[in-house]
Amino acid sequence: MTDTLTYNAEGLERQPLSVFTEKAYLDYSMYVILDRALPYVGDGLKPVQRRILYAMSELGLSAAAKFKKSARTVGDVLGKFHPHGDSACYEAMVLMAQPFSYRYPLIDGQGNWGSPDNPKSFAAMRYTESRLTPYAELLLGELDQGTVDWQPNFDGTLEEPKLLPARLPNLLLNGASGIAVGMATDIPSHNLREVARACIHLLDHPQASVADLMAFVPGPDFPTAGEIITPAEDILKIYETGNGSLRQRARYEVEQGEIIITALPYQVSGERLMEQIAAQFNAKKLPMIEDFRDESDHEFPTRLVIVPRSNRVDIERLMSHLFATTDLERSYRVNMNLVAGNGRPRVMDLKEILVEWLLFRTATVRRRLEHRLGKVLDRLHLLEGLLIAYLNIDEVIRIIRTEDEPKPVLMGHFALSDIQADYVLNTRLRQLARLEEMKIRGEQEALAAERDHLQGILGDDGRLKQLIREEITADAAKYGDARRSPLVARDAAAALDETEVTPSEPVTVVLSEKGWVRAAKGHEIDAVALSYRSGDQFLAAARLRSNQTAVFLDSTGRSYSLPAHTLPSARGQGEPLTGRLDPPKGANFVAVLGDPPQTRLLLASDAGYGFIIRMEDLYAKPKGGKAVLTLPAGARVLPLIPIPDLPNPRLAAATNTGHLLVFPVSDLPEMPRGKGNKIISIPGANGAERLEWLVGLAVVREGGSLVITSGKRTFTLKPADLEHYQGERGRRGKPLPRGFQRVDGLSAE
């Protein structure tokens, strides 16, 4: 201390600021941890809770007493034991009275003590009344039996118990939560009967593991009846480490096609939940819901109704979405950090908590028995002196009448102790006269039997355990109840993707030559007749549903995709795709598609190369898109052609110079991207000055015909005629008849 602590001439203490602040902060930290935020393993209470219960017991507010104003209790607590703010004290009192906050409430409240929708909506303490619940007797019943240590209150005028003699592990039954300096606690509540059975098992089998105890305590039991869906192996890990998280989910049932939510997770407000559903409904993210309402009342405290739009709605999928996106499913942190029996805070597993509590309970019961034994021995000692006085009543009376100091004479004459002599002298004469020897001896025999019984228990650990076991069993039978929160294995909740929550309506996506896009409702739209900007005109259109994805292809062979419901309305002239997409410089959009994801399409370039691609492979991130078709120099993209799901379709390919080749579609590979395979041989196809290119493709069904267009003339090739142009993929093909050396397009019939 000499290097950090010095004294000046006036004797004032001086020390470095760093030393002082470190000590002050550590002192404050320990105060917050031990005297405010963390519960004690013995009674599971924080100091303010303990003081509230003790003050109420001193006021005589037992479960059978009349209610008293809560302000009276708070006043006693603040004035005698807890000199802090009245609002904080009253809030701690309210929490112990709310059946939706405490699994086993300690205070019976009368008046407005808050609601599950708004736990903070309780009335002021001058309006509410309170008393203790029958369950509180488990904490206070043995307080006057020498079971606990006492300490002076804050001003030294009164004494208060350091802790309460809990007959059951209240820490696990009601749980606890709190934030200290550098640590916090979150202990869930449990079922009384289950915890009691685990305590009894641990008494009989001290070597039991946490997994063994889980046979009796399979998981927490919240005040609400929502389902705990955390897997058993995860709960075991929580109980083994003292840390983890739990998930609780609302319970629902289906009545006449309507979804009825009957139980909510712990600390979830039905009002807040309906606001969350309404927000999604108003944002048109729940098209499968027609209506929702809150029908909760006194008869049905939780009854939230969701009406599906039709009986075709997948209710399980809908509820899975709501579980994932609303408070119908909640996660709860578990951190079993508490003040152990040695007064130090630490995180414990389930077994450690029960072992510590059983040690506390054993010490409490031993102190209770020893206290009672002391009372019995003292009474036997007094009765022994009283019996001597009764048997010699005349001599006792004579000594009292004749002696100035009768006490020493009585002690010397009858060999009485100081206490016995005082007791005889303080006994009224008429009571002494009426005493009968048989009554005294009867009381002596009863007390002697009780003394032997108590000494037998105190001297035999087995009998002491048996007594603790019997008391736990009796308390569990008296105060226990059935589990509220069922443990159920459920699949993980998953939110619906954007396409599932978007209304499915027919739309037509229209693309102009200048790259402007819009979406018109319905499939009977004459896209060519729509109004276009000056110098612009119709290029392509795709019919799809509003919950599908529209795919765009540019002149460089890149594909892009946008949700159809996000496109601008066709009431106007749309907007340029370049505002949403980022095509390469100089590229222009050449096609729009809206086929189902598994549709097979023929993607080719006019250089004579191509391959089959699935629609889903064209989906890409909106901005940059992705390259799907590699184009030779100078080549351009041809319109995509759907491949029908028909037996033995054939592909007809024609060049602008009138060469036609027919071969099976199956000869082309299916690829997600690339240049593709050669469809038809074109001399100088990769040159800068191209004289010939692939002008058209058509997929011809088995037995179908092919229509060739050249200017205003058309020519139909029957199935037998097509055989003449049949060849191997990649060959030159054969020239068409005279007059069709210039081909403008192909179509299949």
Side-chain angles (χ1 to χ4, degrees):
M1 290 293 290
T2 56
D3 58 339
T4 60
L5 187 63
T6 60
Y7 295 88
N8 61 14
E10 289 78 19
L12 297 177
E13 179 182 327
R14 297 172 61 87
Q15 60 183 169
L17 182 63
S18 61
V19 175
F20 172 78
T21 53
E22 179 180 357
K23 182 178 183 302
Y25 185 72
L26 288 176
D27 289 346
Y28 167 73
S29 301
M30 291 308 297
Y31 164 74
V32 172
I33 291 169
L34 300 179
D35 290 342
R36 187 184 300 178
L38 300 190
Y40 180 72
V41 67
D43 56 11
L45 299 175
K46 303 174 187 179
V48 64
Q49 298 170 325
R50 192 177 298 121
R51 288 163 177 166
I52 290 171
L53 296 179
Y54 176 63
M56 293 183 73
S57 70
E58 288 295 286
L59 286 171
L61 295 177
S62 66
K66 291 183 178 180
F67 289 93
K68 278 189 180 179
K69 286 290 185 183
S70 301
R72 173 68 188 278
T73 297
V74 173
D76 265 33
V77 174
L78 300 186
K80 294 180 178 179
F81 310 113
H82 198 72
H84 297 280
D86 60 341
S87 60
C89 179
Y90 183 50
E91 284 191 21
M93 185 176 173
V94 168
L95 195 66
M96 292 190 288
Q98 292 177 336
F100 49 84
S101 295
Y102 261 45
R103 181 64 178 83
Y104 299 97
L106 294 161
I107 294 175
D108 183 10
Q110 186 169 265
N112 177 12
W113 290 80
S115 67
D117 283 339
N118 189 2
K120 299 286 187 180
S121 64
F122 50 85
M125 57 185 169
R126 61 182 178 273
Y127 299 121
T128 61
E129 298 178 336
S130 57
R131 64 183 178 187
L132 295 170
T133 60
Y135 172 81
E137 181 68 16
L138 288 174
L139 297 172
L140 298 162
E142 299 176 353
L143 193 58
D144 58 350
Q145 299 179 27
T147 51
V148 297
D149 294 327
W150 296 74
Q151 62 186 6
N153 68 339
F154 64 91
D155 61 2
T157 59
L158 297 169
E159 284 197 332
E160 60 175 321
K162 289 185 176 180
L163 48 93
L164 299 182
R167 294 171 61 92
L168 286 173
N170 180 65
L171 176 71
L172 287 176
L173 302 186
N174 275 321
S177 64
I179 301 175
V181 179
M183 60 178 62
T185 183
D186 288 284
I187 304 173
S189 56
H190 292 75
N191 184 268
L192 190 151
R193 291 176 181 170
E194 294 175 355
V195 173
R197 287 196 293 266
C199 290
I200 293 172
H201 181 78
L202 196 57
L203 273 175
D204 297 333
H205 306 87
Q207 304 303 320
S209 65
V210 173
D212 296 334
L213 295 175
M214 274 194 66
F216 306 94
V217 185
D221 188 20
F222 291 104
T224 55
E227 298 175 342
I228 297 175
I229 62 171
T230 305
E233 55 270 20
D234 292 347
I235 298 178
L236 174 60
K237 189 176 298 183
I238 291 172
Y239 282 153
E240 287 179 337
T241 62
N243 284 292
S245 64
L246 294 162
R247 298 196 72 83
Q248 192 180 26
R249 179 180 290 184
R251 297 168 66 183
Y252 70 93
E253 54 192 38
V254 180
E255 292 182 5
Q256 299 178 348
E258 297 181 341
I259 302 169
I260 312 297
I261 299 170
T262 57
L264 296 176
Y266 178 50
Q267 293 179 331
V268 168
S269 162
E271 180 180 344
R272 169 65 180 152
L273 181 61
M274 297 305 281
E275 291 175 359
Q276 293 174 337
I277 296 175
Q280 293 193 47
F281 185 83
N282 294 334
K284 297 184 177 180
K285 292 183 177 180
L286 290 174
M288 65 290 293
I289 288 180
E290 179 180 334
D291 188 23
F292 56 93
R293 56 186 181 271
D294 187 351
E295 295 183 354
S296 304
D297 54 24
H298 290 292
E299 185 178 358
F300 301 101
T302 301
R303 184 179 172 85
L304 308 180
V305 181
I306 299 175
V307 183
R309 189 168 295 276
S310 72
N311 56 9
R312 295 188 301 274
V313 172
D314 187 342
I315 291 179
E316 288 189 8
R317 187 72 185 94
L318 168 61
M319 292 305 297
S320 178
H321 170 76
L322 293 176
F323 289 141
T325 58
T326 69
D327 284 343
L328 281 173
E329 182 175 314
R330 282 279 299 273
S331 178
Y332 303 91
R333 191 167 67 98
V334 178
N335 180 23
M336 296 197 286
N337 190 13
L338 57 138
V339 181
N342 59 5
R344 296 184 178 181
R346 65 187 178 95
V347 176
M348 298 187 187
D349 62 34
L350 177 63
K351 181 179 179 180
E352 287 176 327
I353 292 176
L354 293 179
V355 168
E356 286 266 350
W357 182 82
L358 285 173
L359 290 173
F360 164 79
R361 182 59 187 160
T362 302
T364 301
V365 173
R366 185 176 290 278
R367 290 184 63 167
R368 187 190 76 202
L369 296 177
E370 289 173 346
H371 179 267
R372 177 57 186 166
L373 179 59
K375 294 285 188 183
V376 169
L377 293 176
D378 290 345
R379 181 61 179 168
L380 283 172
H381 184 60
L382 294 177
L383 288 177
E384 183 182 349
L386 195 60
L387 183 60
I388 293 174
Y390 174 77
L391 295 176
N392 300 277
I393 186 66
D394 294 336
E395 183 64 16
V396 169
I397 293 174
R398 186 192 66 78
I399 292 173
I400 294 173
R401 289 180 60 189
T402 59
E403 297 293 336
D404 293 335
E405 295 290 338
K407 180 178 177 180
V409 178
L410 286 173
M411 292 173 63
H413 193 77
F414 297 109
L416 298 177
S417 67
D418 186 79
I419 298 175
Q420 288 174 324
D422 281 337
Y423 186 67
V424 170
L425 290 172
N426 290 332
T427 302
R428 293 181 180 180
L429 183 61
R430 65 177 185 178
Q431 290 178 329
L432 193 62
R434 288 188 293 108
L435 288 176
E436 298 179 6
E437 181 182 3
M438 293 302 294
K439 289 183 179 180
I440 297 175
R441 294 191 183 278
E443 186 178 355
Q444 280 182 321
E445 290 177 1
L447 290 175
E450 185 178 357
R451 175 198 62 201
D452 296 339
H453 176 68
L454 293 172
Q455 289 176 339
I457 295 176
L458 289 170
D460 187 342
D461 289 342
R463 292 181 64 182
L464 183 62
K465 283 186 178 181
Q466 179 61 29
L467 175 63
I468 296 172
R469 184 185 301 107
E470 291 172 355
E471 290 178 350
I472 291 175
T473 302
D475 290 337
K478 182 176 181 180
Y479 299 102
D481 58 3
R483 167 174 280 275
R484 289 185 190 171
S485 303
L487 294 154
V488 184
R490 299 288 188 195
D491 295 333
L496 297 169
D497 60 36
E498 194 172 11
T499 60
E500 290 180 286
V501 299
T502 303
S504 179
E505 301 171 344
V507 294
T508 301
V509 178
V510 181
L511 179 66
S512 74
E513 286 187 347
K514 299 293 185 182
W516 285 62
V517 69
R518 49 189 149 167
K521 290 186 177 180
H523 286 167
E524 284 71 41
I525 303 297
D526 186 357
V528 178
L530 292 175
S531 172
Y532 292 89
R533 293 166 58 87
S534 176
D536 199 3
Q537 61 182 350
F538 170 79
L539 174 65
R543 295 175 177 176
L544 62 160
R545 311 291 294 187
S546 58
N547 61 347
Q548 290 180 317
T549 300
V551 171
F552 302 91
L553 198 66
D554 72 9
S555 57
T556 67
R558 299 185 70 85
S559 69
Y560 311 82
S561 55
L562 290 172
H565 71 277
T566 65
L567 298 176
S569 170
R571 293 173 183 169
Q573 293 178 333
E575 64 181 48
L577 275 174
T578 51
R580 299 192 184 192
L581 307 177
D582 189 17
K585 188 175 182 179
N588 58 289
F589 293 96
V590 298
V592 58
L593 301 123
D595 300 278
Q598 294 301 317
T599 303
R600 298 166 72 238
L601 303 165
L602 175 60
L603 181 58
S605 67
D606 65 356
Y609 291 85
F611 58 93
I612 296 172
I613 189 171
R614 290 188 181 271
M615 180 71 177
E616 60 186 353
D617 292 327
L618 294 171
Y619 295 153
K621 292 182 179 180
K623 271 290 184 184
K626 69 177 181 180
V628 291
L629 180 63
T630 303
L631 293 175
R636 63 183 182 86
V637 181
L638 292 178
L640 285 85
I641 302 174
I643 305 296
D645 188 15
L646 296 172
N648 305 319
R650 290 185 291 177
L651 178 64
T655 68
N656 62 318
T657 60
H659 282 79
L660 177 66
L661 177 66
V662 178
F663 62 88
V665 172
S666 58
D667 288 354
L668 278 177
E670 184 173 316
M671 303 163 56
R673 64 173 60 87
K675 178 181 178 181
N677 288 10
K678 183 183 288 187
I679 297 175
I680 188 170
S681 178
I682 301 176
N686 296 327
E689 295 291 334
R690 296 192 303 160
L691 300 176
E692 186 177 357
W693 56 86
L694 184 61
V695 74
L697 295 167
V699 177
V700 184
R701 61 181 175 83
E702 188 175 19
S705 302
L706 180 68
V707 179
I708 301 171
T709 304
S710 177
K712 295 183 179 181
R713 295 181 298 169
T714 60
F715 174 59
T716 302
L717 292 175
K718 299 297 183 182
D721 301 329
L722 287 175
E723 297 298 328
H724 175 69
Y725 299 94
Q726 184 85 18
E728 294 181 3
R729 177 189 58 78
R731 297 296 184 182
R732 177 72 175 139
K734 294 180 179 180
L736 288 167
R738 190 176 182 85
F740 286 88
Q741 283 80 15
R742 182 176 66 84
V743 177
D744 294 323
L746 304 178
S747 62
E749 287 187 346

